Amino acid sequence: MTHKAKPSRTLTTEELARVEGEGAMRVEIHEGTVGRVELNIYEPPRFFEGFLRGRRYSEPPDITARICGICPVAYQMSACRAIEDALGLEVNGQLRELRRLLYCAEWIESHILHIHFLHLPDFFGLDSAIDLAGINRPAVERALALKKIGNELLELIGGRAIHPINVQVGGFYKVPTRRELLAFRPKLEHARDMAAEVVELVGGLDFPELEVDHEMVALRHPTEYAILDGRIISDGGLDITDQEYPEHFVEEHVEHSTALHSRIRARGTYLVGPLARFRLNFDRLTTVAADAAGAVGLTADCSNPFRSIVVRAVETLDVIEVGLAIVDAYDEPDRPYLEATIGGGTGHGATEAPRGLLYHRYKLSDDGVITDAVITPPTSQNQAAIEDDLTRYVQANIGLDDEELRKGAEVTIRNHDPCISCATHFLDLTVVRT
Amino acid sequence: MNNRSGSRPKLAVWKFASCDGCQLTLLDCEDELLEVAGRVEIAHFLEASSARVAGPFDLSLVEGSITTAHDADRIRKVRAESKSLVTIGACATAGGIQALRNFTDVDEFLSVVYATPSFLSTLGTSTPISDHVPVDFELRGCPIDKRQLLEVIGAFLAGRKPNVRDHCVCVECKQRGNPCVLVAHGTPCLGPVTHAGCGGLCPAFNRGCYGCFGPMESPNVESLIGALTEVGMPAEDVDRVFHTFNAWSEPFRTAGRREERP
């Protein structure tokens, strides 16, 4: 890596003035070769890990939900599982099924939002889903209808779509009746039909060529396409429990970002999210979802990040199918939650947020007060992989003019749906050519 | 939709320190979104569009609190370019959950979260937008309620005052038919002092209100603290329950610190 142009930290400040509190990207090109590439996350730090200290064990589900308005359930589920791990509490049976159903609802809402509002306009050279409605209104109306069904299911189980209020350590405050869930079934059936159409739509897009070789990391469950729990595995040989996460992963603070960079201790950069899940769990998809993937030519070994939009569509179809099965088998539990016995200890919890593995760890004192909290969101785990994708993309397309290159690079970042508290849409690109 | 292009009012949505949930509320108006988008020109809304139209703006919706010197400058520029400026949500209106830093030394938080705190530049406080610039209307909630958001947008575009009532959550519980969880079950509940907007949501799910819409107009916090203590809520829990998503708003600010109360 050569740095003939003087690497200047002051450029970072200039960028800050133009990124308006979100993210930015900086690429340096020296004599036709990509040099330094930085994904800058400027989101002001909010210190959740700091102020969780001193709070009671029961508080993280409500508090950590506020990290992200798009995937609050992911934070609630990882928090609950980590605290339950510390307290020796196992939530199984119908309470676990209800958690999965709530999480499925969030996947529908989040994936549909990302596919149509954040990502799809790029493939048509448009600025927004509203512009997209100008050329394909039925697709946008279908997206809104699908997203609404996801949100309604979130409200039915969680009370509210953004920052659900019905989740607590051990289960829920109130569980829905069987009748309420069955009454929702027709909407899910409608959603299944619409999701199948979304797979067809995005499966037929034109994708830039790009192959990556990141180590792929995701949860793996014995029978399910893992969302709520499972072992943390990778195609590089990792196969560990949540409790072993700190032994294998390390977070570093880099100067150009307020989000920490995460690495596998033994090997370095890795990828979490749809591509990783799909590769590692293809055999756990429902038949409907696997068939839909096959029909658009998506295979488990896909390593083109631009096709992650298709994976999201297939995953949406899959969670709707899973949701239907949970609804059909639902039997109202006797109690909405399991009572916790307060005690000290350390607990770990990893779940699959829509954009990838989300790990929480809490240390509790004997009276149930948090003394230490660690939260590792998908974006900090993916940051190095995203920078690597950018390098590859820009190098492969170095002949394009700056504007085209900027657009392509933006899509390259959006492939990963980076959650810059949580979904920065626009990323500024500075290209320095020397 | 039927307006002449160029004559539509310009809407801008701005983000400061926040979770994006309140702007997402606008995108969650699935039945109304395309209609709203047809009636206004979305001039700046980064979560939804990469198009940027220059100001001035007829209505600016502001999400998030001010936590950096850069953002303190930026909100002044947004104000200067906006005919009307409305804050959406607890962060913009009350400093948000990140205002918990205001009660402590921010350097301590920095060192807990970051190995190299010197890489960061952040203020020691998280403050509401109204601490920095005049605000035309404050919409409460963590997150905001979509019906209230549509009412506020509609009202400002029509040049009238929004019809958002300022009574407490208890009124909404009565309207919804919720039994009072505080009286009937002895469950601690902030409903009597919390601003309406959620529709009495938590009590409908058998839990007490945790105050995510912040204080109502003139709440009797001391009286409620008496009632919370009576149902057996320990003093430190009383402190904590006020110190969540609206911790920096008066009177939750001092309600959450017993030693600071008279």
Side-chain angles (χ1 to χ4, degrees):
Chain A
M1 206 182 287
T2 55
H3 292 284
K4 287 183 180 169
K6 194 173 69 176
S8 164
R9 303 317 314 163
T10 56
L11 273 177
T12 304
T13 312
E14 282 171 32
E15 281 186 342
L16 188 59
R18 295 188 291 106
V19 296
E20 299 177 324
E22 306 212 26
M25 176 170 67
R26 180 182 165 84
V27 175
E28 290 182 7
I29 300 167
H30 304 283
E31 294 168 356
T33 304
V34 177
R36 196 179 184 84
V37 172
E38 288 178 353
L39 170 64
N40 304 33
I41 291 184
Y42 286 118
E43 181 63 28
R46 292 194 293 149
F47 306 117
F48 276 84
E49 290 156 316
F51 59 65
L52 279 165
R53 289 184 173 196
R55 310 293 300 205
R56 206 179 270 292
Y57 77 93
S58 52
E59 295 183 87
D62 292 329
I63 290 180
T64 61
R66 268 69 184 184
I67 292 173
C68 178
I70 298 176
C71 59
V73 171
Y75 284 90
Q76 294 185 321
M77 293 298 114
S78 285
C80 282
R81 289 203 50 248
I83 293 161
E84 287 154 11
D85 182 43
L87 298 174
L89 200 61
E90 263 191 64
V91 176
N92 285 318
Q94 289 297 327
L95 288 177
R96 177 178 176 275
E97 292 301 280
L98 273 180
R99 283 184 167 178
R100 283 177 70 211
L101 187 58
L102 179 69
Y103 218 148
C104 287
E106 175 157 287
W107 271 40
I108 298 169
E109 172 272 321
S110 175
H111 273 0
I112 292 300
L113 177 81
H114 182 259
I115 291 170
H116 296 87
F117 282 79
L118 307 187
H119 212 189
L120 196 54
D122 287 329
F123 289 89
F124 294 90
L126 298 170
D127 286 326
S128 70
I130 288 152
D131 291 348
L132 188 61
I135 62 164
N136 191 348
R137 194 172 173 101
V140 176
E141 286 179 344
R142 180 175 61 212
L144 289 165
L146 253 170
K147 193 160 80 63
K148 188 177 175 188
I149 291 171
N151 278 331
E152 285 177 347
L153 187 56
L154 277 161
E155 287 164 10
L156 174 59
I157 305 166
R160 183 158 66 188
I162 301 170
H163 308 329
I165 53 91
N166 191 28
V167 170
Q168 65 169 317
V169 171
F172 296 89
Y173 288 90
K174 184 183 176 187
V175 291
T177 62
R178 177 162 171 75
R179 182 195 288 258
E180 282 173 317
L181 283 195
L182 284 177
F184 202 83
R185 203 182 196 285
K187 287 188 179 178
L188 277 176
E189 288 169 12
H190 183 212
R192 176 172 55 189
D193 296 341
M194 290 190 288
E197 293 167 7
V198 174
V199 175
E200 277 177 44
L201 170 72
V202 299
L205 297 171
D206 279 333
F207 301 101
E209 294 292 327
L210 186 69
E211 299 298 320
V212 297
D213 58 359
H214 311 301
E215 182 165 348
M216 306 252 187
V217 177
L219 288 182
R220 171 94 173 159
H221 183 275
T223 55
E224 301 160 4
Y225 193 89
I227 298 178
L228 186 62
D229 46 32
R231 290 179 70 81
I232 300 167
I233 69 161
S234 82
D235 58 1
L238 200 68
D239 185 0
I240 60 170
T241 62
D242 296 358
Q243 290 76 15
E244 293 171 298
Y245 184 94
E247 292 166 36
H248 296 270
F249 295 87
V250 62
E251 279 186 291
E252 294 163 359
H253 183 196
V254 296
E255 187 161 1
H256 65 266
S257 176
T258 57
L260 303 176
H261 272 211
S262 185
R263 295 178 191 282
I264 296 178
R265 282 183 200 273
R267 293 178 292 276
T269 303
Y270 64 101
L271 185 73
V272 300
L275 271 191
R277 286 192 294 252
F278 195 71
R279 169 168 300 188
L280 296 167
N281 292 293
F282 184 83
D283 59 336
R284 297 283 187 264
L285 284 170
T286 57
T287 311
V288 168
D291 289 351
V296 295
L298 187 69
T299 53
D301 62 358
C302 172
S303 59
N304 181 346
F306 286 94
R307 293 177 76 96
S308 62
I309 190 171
V310 193
V311 177
R312 283 191 182 86
V314 170
E315 285 188 339
T316 306
L317 179 58
D318 190 63
V319 293
I320 293 168
E321 192 69 3
V322 168
L324 280 164
I326 293 173
V327 166
D328 287 341
Y330 181 65
D331 192 12
E332 221 170 299
D334 298 336
R335 294 165 52 204
Y337 64 96
L338 305 180
E339 199 81 51
T341 309
I342 298 169
T346 298
H348 310 252
T351 70
E352 286 286 346
R355 40 202 68 67
L357 193 75
L358 169 61
Y359 167 80
H360 288 216
R361 174 169 79 245
Y362 299 94
K363 260 186 214 163
L364 303 179
S365 67
D366 290 343
D367 54 354
V369 172
I370 296 162
T371 57
D372 189 44
V374 173
I375 295 168
T376 308
T379 297
S380 70
Q381 304 186 71
N382 276 347
Q383 246 184 297
I386 297 171
E387 289 179 351
D388 186 65
D389 285 12
L390 280 172
T391 304
R392 286 168 192 257
Y393 175 81
V394 174
Q395 189 64 59
N397 296 278
I398 204 117
L400 296 177
D401 67 35
D402 283 3
E403 181 59 16
E404 281 179 283
L405 205 51
R406 182 182 68 78
K407 284 189 174 162
E410 274 184 39
V411 189
T412 307
I413 294 174
R414 275 183 213 126
N415 286 334
H416 297 284
D417 191 8
C419 179
I420 304 172
S421 101
C422 192
T424 288
H425 178 61
F426 185 86
L427 292 115
D428 234 0
L429 170 67
T430 304
V431 179
V432 179
R433 289 191 201 246
T434 58
Chain B
M1 210 78 67
N2 48 8
N3 286 304
R4 279 166 290 122
S5 176
S7 67
R8 293 177 300 170
K10 279 158 94 173
L11 173 72
V13 182
W14 309 93
K15 175 185 155 59
F16 292 82
S18 65
C19 77
D20 279 50
C22 291
Q23 9 176 353
L24 179 64
T25 304
L26 185 52
L27 298 181
D28 276 357
C29 296
E30 287 97 0
D31 294 334
E32 300 87 2
L33 183 66
L34 291 178
E35 167 113 25
V36 171
R39 291 190 183 195
V40 299
E41 180 182 8
I42 296 181
H44 185 105
F45 184 7
L46 293 185
E47 187 170 321
S49 174
S50 47
R52 294 172 169 197
V53 179
F57 310 102
D58 293 285
L59 174 60
S60 274
L61 301 176
V62 179
E63 174 191 275
S65 65
I66 303 301
T67 61
T68 66
H70 169 70
D71 279 355
D73 280 345
R74 192 158 62 94
I75 190 61
R76 284 192 284 272
K77 287 179 190 136
V78 168
R79 175 71 263 188
E81 287 189 303
S82 307
K83 207 183 281 178
S84 295
L85 188 153
V86 170
T87 61
I88 52 170
C91 296
T93 301
I97 186 146
Q98 53 273 7
L100 289 173
R101 75 176 70 185
N102 300 2
F103 300 91
T104 182
D105 180 3
V106 77
D107 290 339
E108 191 186 312
F109 283 168
L110 271 171
S111 63
V112 167
V113 181
Y114 296 99
T116 321
S118 58
F119 289 170
L120 293 169
S121 116
T122 184
L123 295 173
T125 52
S126 167
T127 44
I129 301 302
S130 63
D131 277 13
H132 301 265
V133 295
V135 170
D136 295 296
F137 189 80
E138 293 180 320
L139 187 59
R140 290 147 191 268
C142 180
I144 54 171
D145 178 77
K146 75 165 89 157
R147 291 157 296 188
Q148 290 194 335
L149 176 65
L150 288 170
E151 162 60 19
V152 165
I153 293 174
F156 272 89
L157 296 179
R160 63 173 172 81
K161 203 174 174 301
N163 180 19
V164 174
R165 289 187 286 172
D166 56 13
H167 51 58
C168 68
V169 169
C170 294
V171 176
E172 298 187 303
C173 265
K174 299 286 175 290
Q175 285 168 341
R176 193 170 179 148
N178 291 337
C180 176
V181 294
L182 184 61
V183 172
H185 308 297
T187 302
C189 180
L190 297 192
V193 299
T194 298
H195 198 284
C198 65
L201 188 58
C202 285
F205 279 77
N206 299 334
R207 72 178 289 193
C209 163
Y210 60 87
C212 62
F213 274 68
M216 65 179 294
E217 293 296 315
S218 313
N220 191 342
V221 170
E222 284 304 315
S223 164
L224 178 68
I225 289 173
L228 296 177
T229 308
E230 217 167 280
V231 296
M233 195 177 200
E236 63 269 25
D237 285 8
V238 173
D239 288 354
R240 274 200 287 258
V241 78
F242 284 104
H243 269 206
T244 55
F245 313 105
N246 292 277
W248 198 240
S249 63
E250 282 293 1
F252 283 12
R253 191 190 300 185
T254 43
R257 280 293 178 273
R258 296 178 77 79
E259 66 273 16
E260 288 168 20
R261 290 208 307 276

